């Protein structure tokens, strides 16, 4: 629609995302912002009746308790003959039933339930016609995902004192503003969307200076390695007058003095041991400001990749750093700036001659995300080569490592090779369409796709069907009707059923000339995958290529993670990759493609595990290529603009905390896929419509600073902050009783834009999530001048329990002040 004649009002039920929208669309002068609870009459919320030509609602109306009342409220906004455009899920969703359904309020509609609040296509059409809409149309281009787009026109009117839709011209807007609009700096030419990791040789930092160290408060905390390098570093630090504490691996926590040296022992798998360690340092008034984590320096790196070696990397790398960050954040005295140097060997391929251990890539998840969730902690990954003997090379390496942490550096992924310091970069490469290039896809080739019945898997399949009439093996964990049952299934369940739509899609593939074999198998189960491959070989012959799709949805802040609920080795991305590689180790594959993500490079709030697993895929591609010389590609995809991909890979961009949903269309994704396989010879490549290095730089901003910026911006849009009534919760409203409870209540009411929040209301039942929890903690930091640990917040998510936590913190601070005054 022409911007000169258009006025757009962006609404949301809460003020937080209104602020986000105003930041995101600040370049558009014709956008206004306002709170709107569509379950209440809009006229009571400051909206003029029948004043809009078009209303757009995407997957939001089903959340309301009464669809009839909701549509009446929507109709009251529209001018006569105005248009309603909605996109809605139209079939039951198992993941919604298991998760979101538990958070929904009871519904008033008889035909819906909290586990299945969705109307079918026919029910939507009937509901729209019954509430003042005519000319209802449904579009099914995305029905493979169980969603429809509906367009409905409001009825005409001869009694309303309002002009019909599309007859009022708004005041013209300065055309110069429009020319300045840039949609996230997206690159228009698909050839420019590709980046490869590279290494740039930079000057090393100034040499380590003991005099400088002596003037700095705090001490060094060294997690000692098995190679002896850590011991040498400690000796050097102590010799030059520094305070250094050793942390060794053991069965349980202990702290002792040995040879005038403080030595602590912890069990890497015990979360409580890390808390005990930091608590002991706090008691001894030994606050570390530099931490060297050397547990990923090993003597036997580069041997055959095994489950045992992966588990070791998971424990000594990923979880060790997660638990350390949790323990540091728990202690109120640990809020000063500190650095964690994560030192490894055999992780990065810089020269091309390294022996690699891809399991060590797990450390990159904590390295990228810790600093995004904890503002006072800076992390850096440093990969080294351990000298074979104790000589001048070892002394030089010690100097290099100590110098790396003497000054504050912005480099996050570093490697030392001999005399040189290398920093990882991502260089743009141009992949033009080469019409006459030798294709990687064979005519009538045989291709195995894991996650083959998911959205992305079916797009892979459709591309191969259209272009080479491929023989397709589609692997999925869920049961699927046998081919001879397809017709009866379609007859019994209709085309709206989720399996029915997949059946129809498979029939489309076969109509394009493909042959399709659907196999139920769990990619994490070797026996099932062996049987699936045997079945495929018997049907089609030798498999020519493998595409491993493993979209996973696991978002949680570092403060929430525990070892019991977070094992990452035995997941489709990790163990599935190992099993597939092992089963095809003797096969002559044309390609083996791993579906990775930009998150492995840029991280993301709540994505520490996701980042680690995708980093493993990237590292595994280099490992496999160097060890076996095969064509393997880990593709760090931008977001695919599909419901499945968006639902499972949404990233909270740290810069502005924007929920990025713009990404690749299906056509753009498959065009990128083709160019990569035709033109790229690298084990890893990034696909990004936006400037990827800008994304990396944006995501170096930490969460706390970003929240502070957001809070400052929110004051500029206070005019849009209207509140809505208290939702229907399981517990009754109880007003705050103390000053702390009143302060907490005011913050929650501001966050959720709710008139009344009771002291027994659960934060997450009100609609809170990990991101909003960080905002509450940030507000408490500003209002009460205290630091509430994330873990305590998640353990006590009600006003009354959180108030007790705040009181405990105040008491601890008073006791600490009394202790200092006595000293």
């Amino acid at each position: 629609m022409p911007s000169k004649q258009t006025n757009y009002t962006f609404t949301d039920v809460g003020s937080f995302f209104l602020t986000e929208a105003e930041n995101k669309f600040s370049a558009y002068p014709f956008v206004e912002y306002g709170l709107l609870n569509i379950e209440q009459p809009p006229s009571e919320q400051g909206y003029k009746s029948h004043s809009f030509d078009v209303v757009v609602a995407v997957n939001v109306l089903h959340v309301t308790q009464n669809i009839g009342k909701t549509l009446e409220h929507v109709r009251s906004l529209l001018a006569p003959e105005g248009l309603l455009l909605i996109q809605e899920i139209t079939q039951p969703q198992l993941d919604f039933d298991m998760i979101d359904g538990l958070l929904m309020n009871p519904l008033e509609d008889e035909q819906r339930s909290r586990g299945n609040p969705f109307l079918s296509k026919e029910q939507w059409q009937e509901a729209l016609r019954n509430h003042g809409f005519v000319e209802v149309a449904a579009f099914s281009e995305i029905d493979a995902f169980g969603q429809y787009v509906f367009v409905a026109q409001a009825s005409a009117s001869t009694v309303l004192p309002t002009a019909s839709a599309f007859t009022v011209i708004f005041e013209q807007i300065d055309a110069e503003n429009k020319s300045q609009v840039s949609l996230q700096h997206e690159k228009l030419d698909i050839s420019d969307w590709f980046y490869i990791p590279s290494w740039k040789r930079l000057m090393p930092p100034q040499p380590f200076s003991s005099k400088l160290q002596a003037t700095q408060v705090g001490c060094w905390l060294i997690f000692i390695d098995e190679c002896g390098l850590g011991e040498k570093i400690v000796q050097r630090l102590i010799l030059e007058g520094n305070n250094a504490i050793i942390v060794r691996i053991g069965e349980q926590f202990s702290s002792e003095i040995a040879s005038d040296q403080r030595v602590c022992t912890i069990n890497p798998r015990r979360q409580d041991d890390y808390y005990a360690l930091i608590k002991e340092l706090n008691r001894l008034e030994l606050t570390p400001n530099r931490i060297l984590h050397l547990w990923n320096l090993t003597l036997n790196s580069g041997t055959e990749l095994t489950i045992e070696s992966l588990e070791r990397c998971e424990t000594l790398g990923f979880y060790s750093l997660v638990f350390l960050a949790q323990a540091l954040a728990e202690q109120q005295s640990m809020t000063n700036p500190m650095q964690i140097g994560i030192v490894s060997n055999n992780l990065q391929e810089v020269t091309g001659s390294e022996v690699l251990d891809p399991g060590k890539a797990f450390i990159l998840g904590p390295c990228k995300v810790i600093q995004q969730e904890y503002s006072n902690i800076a992390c850096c990954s440093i990969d080294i080569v351990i000298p074979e003997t104790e000589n001048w090379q070892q002394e030089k390496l010690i100097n290099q490592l100590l110098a790396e942490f003497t000054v504050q550096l912005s480099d996050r992924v570093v490697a030392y090779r001999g005399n040189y310091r290398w920093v990882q970069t991502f260089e743009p490469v141009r992949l033009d369409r080469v019409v006459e290039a030798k294709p990687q896809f064979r005519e009538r080739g045989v291709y195995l796709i894991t996650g083959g019945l998911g959205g992305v898997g079916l797009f892979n399949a459709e591309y191969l069907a259209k272009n080479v009439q491929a023989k397709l093996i589609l692997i999925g964990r869920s049961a699927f009707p046998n081919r001879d049952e397809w017709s009866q299934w379609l007859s019994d369940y209709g085309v709206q059923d989720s399996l029915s739509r997949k059946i129809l899609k498979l029939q489309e593939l076969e109509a394009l000339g493909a042959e399709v074999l659907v196999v139920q198998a769990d990619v994490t189960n070797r026996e099932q995958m062996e049987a699936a491959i045997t079945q495929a070989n018997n049907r089609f012959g030798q498999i020519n290529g493998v595409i491993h799709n493993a979209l996973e949805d696991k978002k949680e802040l570092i403060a929430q993670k525990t070892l019991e609920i977070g094992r990452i080795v035995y997941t489709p991305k990790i163990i599935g990759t190992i099993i597939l590689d092992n089963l095809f180790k003797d096969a002559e594959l044309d390609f083996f493609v791993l579906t990775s993500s930009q998150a492995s490079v840029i991280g993301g709030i709540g994505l520490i595990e996701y980042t680690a697993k995708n980093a493993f895929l990237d590292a595994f591609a280099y490992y496999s290529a160097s060890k076996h010389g095969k064509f393997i590609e880990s593709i760090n995809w931008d977001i695919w603009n599909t419901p499945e991909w968006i639902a499972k890979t949404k990233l909270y961009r740290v810069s502005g905390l924007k929920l990025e949903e713009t990404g690749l269309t299906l056509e753009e994704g498959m065009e990128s896929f083709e160019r990569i396989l035709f033109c790229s010879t690298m084990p890893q490549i990034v696909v990004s419509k936006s400037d990827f290095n800008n994304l990396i730089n944006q995501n170096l901003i930490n969460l706390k600073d970003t929240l502070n910026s957001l809070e400052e911006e929110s004051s500029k849009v206070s005019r849009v902050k209207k509140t809505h009534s208290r939702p229907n919760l399981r517990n009754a409203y109880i007003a705050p009783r103390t000053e702390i409870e009143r302060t907490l209540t005011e913050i929650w009411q501001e966050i959720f834009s709710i008139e009344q929040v009771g002291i027994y209301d659960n934060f997450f039942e009100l609609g809170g999530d990990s991101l909003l929890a960080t905002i509450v903690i940030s507000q408490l930091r500003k209002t009460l001048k205290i630091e509430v640990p994330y873990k305590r917040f998640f353990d006590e998510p009600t006003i009354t329990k959180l108030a007790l936590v705040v009181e405990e913190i105040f008491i601890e601070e008073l006791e600490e002040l009394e202790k200092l005054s006595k000293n």
Side-chain angles (χ1 to χ4, degrees):
M1 293 182 287
S3 60
K4 292 182 179 181
Q5 299 172 217
T6 305
N7 190 56
Y8 187 95
T9 301
F10 185 105
T11 70
D12 196 272
V13 74
S15 59
F16 175 76
F17 287 104
L18 281 184
T19 303
E20 286 306 290
E22 186 156 27
N23 290 336
K24 183 171 184 176
F25 303 123
S26 59
Y28 296 89
F30 52 87
V31 182
E32 299 176 353
Y33 306 87
L35 286 172
L36 175 63
N37 178 5
I38 200 60
E39 295 191 270
Q40 305 296 328
S43 59
E44 297 177 6
Q45 304 174 63
Y47 293 89
K48 183 180 178 181
S49 297
H50 308 293
S51 58
F52 292 88
D53 299 320
V54 180
V55 170
V56 181
V58 179
N59 275 326
V60 65
L61 298 186
H62 67 258
V63 179
T64 61
Q65 293 178 277
N66 188 304
I67 290 293
K69 291 180 180 179
T70 295
L71 291 179
E72 289 175 4
H73 297 151
V74 172
R75 177 66 183 85
S76 73
L77 289 169
L78 279 169
E81 300 183 307
L83 296 178
L84 171 63
L85 172 65
I86 64 174
Q87 177 178 322
E88 280 288 347
I89 298 171
T90 55
Q91 67 171 18
Q93 303 283 327
L94 179 59
D95 55 349
F96 186 98
D97 192 5
M98 296 171 62
I99 303 172
D100 299 82
L102 300 174
L103 303 177
M104 285 197 64
N105 294 317
L107 304 182
E108 298 175 5
D109 300 336
E110 295 181 357
Q111 72 268 40
R112 300 188 302 145
S113 67
R114 294 166 69 183
N116 177 27
F118 312 111
L119 297 178
S120 67
K121 170 188 171 184
E122 292 74 16
Q123 288 173 323
W124 269 116
Q125 291 173 317
E126 181 181 3
L128 289 164
R129 292 192 180 100
N130 289 340
H131 292 88
F133 292 91
V134 296
E135 300 295 324
V136 179
F139 298 88
S140 60
E141 282 79 1
I142 56 172
D143 63 347
F145 308 103
Q147 303 196 37
Y148 271 82
V149 173
F150 299 88
V151 180
Q153 187 173 40
S155 58
S157 176
T158 58
V159 297
L160 288 175
T162 306
S164 296
F166 310 108
T167 60
V168 178
I169 305 299
F170 280 87
E171 182 179 354
Q172 289 194 352
I173 299 175
D174 187 358
E176 293 181 3
N177 291 332
K178 181 179 179 181
S179 65
Q180 296 172 3
V181 172
S182 176
L183 291 176
Q184 300 183 4
H185 307 287
E186 288 187 354
K187 298 181 178 181
L188 299 179
D189 189 345
I190 194 171
S191 302
D192 297 325
W193 293 357
F194 306 96
Y195 298 78
I196 58 172
S198 184
W199 294 90
K200 182 181 294 186
R201 199 174 87 185
L202 296 180
M203 287 287 292
Q206 291 297 314
F208 173 71
S209 170
S210 59
K211 293 182 180 179
L212 175 64
Q213 291 298 302
T215 65
Q216 297 184 355
V217 180
C219 64
W220 293 74
L221 185 64
I222 316 292
F223 287 73
I224 295 296
D225 60 289
E226 64 183 33
C227 306
L229 185 65
E231 297 276 7
K232 298 293 184 182
I233 291 175
V234 171
Q235 292 173 12
R236 171 75 181 279
L237 288 170
I238 294 174
L239 182 65
E240 300 194 10
N242 293 272
N243 197 352
I245 300 168
I246 292 175
V247 182
R248 298 187 185 278
I249 296 175
E251 292 300 319
Q252 62 186 14
F253 172 75
S254 66
S255 176
E256 61 183 358
I257 298 293
S259 301
D260 296 326
Q261 174 66 47
R262 173 68 59 178
V263 177
C264 297
T265 300
I266 64 173
N267 185 329
R269 295 176 55 84
R270 288 175 53 87
Q271 193 172 15
D272 290 344
D273 279 12
Y274 294 83
Y275 285 89
L277 168 66
I278 301 303
K279 187 174 181 179
E280 173 72 358
L281 297 181
N282 193 43
R283 184 186 68 82
L284 297 171
E285 298 182 355
L286 295 173
T287 302
N289 57 353
R290 287 178 175 82
I291 301 173
L292 280 182
H293 191 281
L294 308 176
W295 282 357
N296 287 274
L297 290 175
T298 52
L299 293 170
N300 59 349
S301 293
T303 58
E304 195 67 29
L305 190 63
T306 64
I307 300 300
E308 291 74 19
S309 68
L310 285 176
E311 288 178 333
R312 176 183 171 86
C313 290
E314 177 190 55
T315 300
L316 298 184
F318 181 83
Y319 282 110
S320 177
L321 291 164
V322 167
F323 295 158
L324 175 61
Q326 290 174 339
L328 291 170
E330 188 75 12
Q331 288 293 326
Q332 300 302 306
S333 61
M334 301 291 185
T335 57
N336 293 326
M338 63 180 66
Q339 293 177 280
I340 300 179
I342 309 166
V343 185
S344 62
N345 63 329
N346 303 100
L347 170 56
Q348 302 289 359
E349 184 181 82
V350 180
T351 65
S353 61
E354 292 90 347
V355 178
L356 301 176
D357 186 350
K360 293 186 178 181
F362 290 149
I363 64 176
L364 295 176
C367 180
K368 302 293 176 66
V369 179
I370 285 175
Q371 60 196 14
Q372 294 173 340
E373 295 191 19
Y374 299 107
S375 63
N376 64 312
I377 303 176
C379 296
C380 178
S381 168
I382 303 178
D383 195 58
I384 66 172
V385 176
I386 300 177
E388 295 182 0
T389 59
E390 295 185 17
N391 54 20
W392 63 270
Q393 291 177 323
Q394 185 183 77
E395 187 64 24
K396 184 176 184 63
L397 178 60
I398 291 173
N399 285 332
Q400 290 170 332
L401 292 176
L402 291 176
E404 196 73 35
F405 299 103
T406 301
V407 296
Q408 292 283 349
L409 297 173
S410 60
D411 302 323
R412 294 294 174 247
V413 179
V414 177
Y416 277 92
R417 297 293 185 266
N419 293 323
Y420 301 122
R421 178 181 187 266
W422 301 86
V423 174
Q424 188 180 57
T425 64
F426 284 82
E427 300 298 325
V429 293
R430 185 175 176 87
L431 297 187
D432 291 307
R433 173 182 280 277
V434 182
V435 178
E436 297 181 358
K438 180 181 178 181
Q440 292 287 350
F441 302 121
R442 305 186 185 201
E443 192 70 27
R444 306 290 296 167
V446 182
Y447 301 105
L448 182 145
I449 304 174
T450 66
L453 294 176
V456 176
L458 285 174
F459 302 141
N460 298 147
E462 184 174 355
Y463 174 85
L464 293 168
K466 285 181 178 179
N467 288 277
V468 294
Q469 292 72 54
K471 300 174 182 178
L472 302 169
I473 306 109
L474 306 182
I475 305 293
R477 284 187 294 180
S478 302
F480 196 79
N482 294 326
R483 178 180 298 276
D484 56 8
E485 300 172 334
W486 287 3
S487 297
Q488 189 62 47
W489 187 280
L490 292 172
S491 176
D492 291 343
Y493 295 96
V495 296
Q496 298 305 313
D497 176 74
S498 60
L499 290 184
S500 294
R501 287 195 299 276
K502 292 180 179 180
I503 290 172
L504 292 172
K505 174 57 68 175
L506 297 182
Q507 291 176 337
E508 289 179 19
L509 299 180
E510 292 179 334
L512 292 170
E515 294 183 59
V516 178
L517 173 63
V518 178
V519 182
Q520 180 184 0
D522 185 346
V523 74
T524 67
N525 185 304
R526 181 185 175 90
E527 289 73 23
Q528 291 183 21
M529 289 304 299
E530 282 182 332
I533 292 171
T534 299
Q535 183 180 352
N537 288 335
N538 292 337
R539 170 79 177 274
F540 296 136
Q542 180 179 338
I543 294 172
N544 305 123
V546 174
I547 302 174
H548 181 33
N549 295 312
L551 299 185
E552 299 176 20
D553 182 16
K554 188 174 182 62
K555 307 182 192 73
E556 57 187 1
L557 293 176
I558 293 171
Q560 297 172 274
K561 291 204 67 63
T562 66
L563 183 65
E564 289 72 26
I565 66 173
R567 296 305 298 268
I568 61 176
V569 169
Y570 298 97
T571 56
K573 273 189 183 292
I574 308 303
I575 198 68
T577 299
I578 301 300
I579 289 174
L580 287 169
D581 180 73
N582 190 265
L583 292 176
F584 287 101
K585 64 181 179 181
D586 297 324
E588 295 296 328
L589 294 178
D590 295 334
F591 60 82
F592 181 14
V593 172
L594 304 174
T595 300
S596 185
S597 165
Q598 291 181 0
S600 69
V601 180
I602 64 177
I605 297 167
L607 297 177
I608 186 168
E609 181 176 319
Y610 186 70
T611 300
K613 288 192 285 192
N614 283 291
F616 170 82
L617 294 185
D618 302 339
F620 183 85
Y622 284 100
Y623 163 81
S624 182
S626 64
K627 193 173 184 66
H628 306 297
K630 295 184 177 180
F631 181 70
I632 182 170
E633 192 95 44
S634 180
I635 304 177
N636 302 100
W637 286 105
D638 203 337
I639 298 170
W640 284 51
N641 198 12
T642 70
E644 179 202 35
W645 188 279
I646 289 174
K648 293 190 175 182
T649 62
K650 273 183 181 177
L651 308 183
Y652 283 120
R653 301 293 194 199
V654 179
S655 178
L657 297 181
K658 293 181 289 190
L659 212 59
E660 299 285 355
E661 293 186 18
T662 59
L664 306 172
T665 65
L666 306 185
E667 294 76 14
E668 290 169 344
M670 294 317 300
E671 172 71 15
S672 301
F673 183 69
E674 179 182 90
R675 294 191 187 202
I676 289 170
L677 290 192
F678 277 32
C679 306
S680 172
T681 58
M682 296 290 293
Q684 179 187 2
I685 192 163
V686 177
V687 182
S688 180
K689 292 180 71 172
S690 305
D691 187 299
F692 189 59
N693 286 300
N694 282 346
L695 288 179
I696 295 173
N697 293 333
Q698 289 172 6
N699 281 269
L700 289 177
I701 304 171
N702 61 61
L703 175 59
K704 188 181 293 185
D705 289 343
T706 305
L707 289 173
N708 291 339
S709 176
L710 282 178
E711 289 161 5
E712 292 174 4
E713 289 295 321
S714 67
S715 63
K716 301 177 184 178
V717 292
S718 58
R719 56 185 173 81
V720 303
K721 293 187 178 179
K722 307 170 186 175
T723 58
H724 52 83
S725 59
R726 172 183 170 80
N728 185 15
L729 301 176
R730 291 177 292 181
N731 53 281
Y733 169 75
I734 303 295
R737 304 158 299 184
T738 67
E739 188 62 34
I740 293 178
E741 287 182 348
R742 278 189 287 274
T743 299
L744 291 170
T745 298
E746 290 172 1
I747 293 174
W748 287 27
Q749 288 176 169
E750 178 74 12
I751 293 289
F752 294 113
S753 299
I754 294 175
E755 292 175 354
Q756 290 183 322
V757 171
I759 62 173
Y760 296 111
D761 295 348
N762 186 289
F763 180 80
F764 300 102
E765 290 181 2
L766 287 170
D769 57 18
S770 299
L771 179 59
L772 292 180
T774 63
I775 297 175
V776 172
I777 292 172
S778 177
Q779 291 280 20
L780 290 174
R781 184 184 305 115
K782 287 181 173 293
T783 305
L784 301 178
K785 309 302 181 185
I786 63 170
E787 192 74 29
V788 175
Y790 284 100
K791 187 176 185 298
R792 297 296 302 275
F793 185 94
F794 289 112
D795 290 343
E796 318 287 355
T798 65
I799 295 290
T800 181
K801 291 183 178 180
L802 191 57
L804 293 176
V805 172
V806 172
E807 290 176 6
E808 290 176 13
I809 294 173
F810 278 138
I811 291 171
E812 290 175 2
E813 290 184 348
L814 287 173
E815 291 175 347
E816 185 66 25
L817 288 173
E818 290 178 3
K819 179 180 177 181
L820 291 174
S821 64
K822 291 179 180 179
N823 293 337

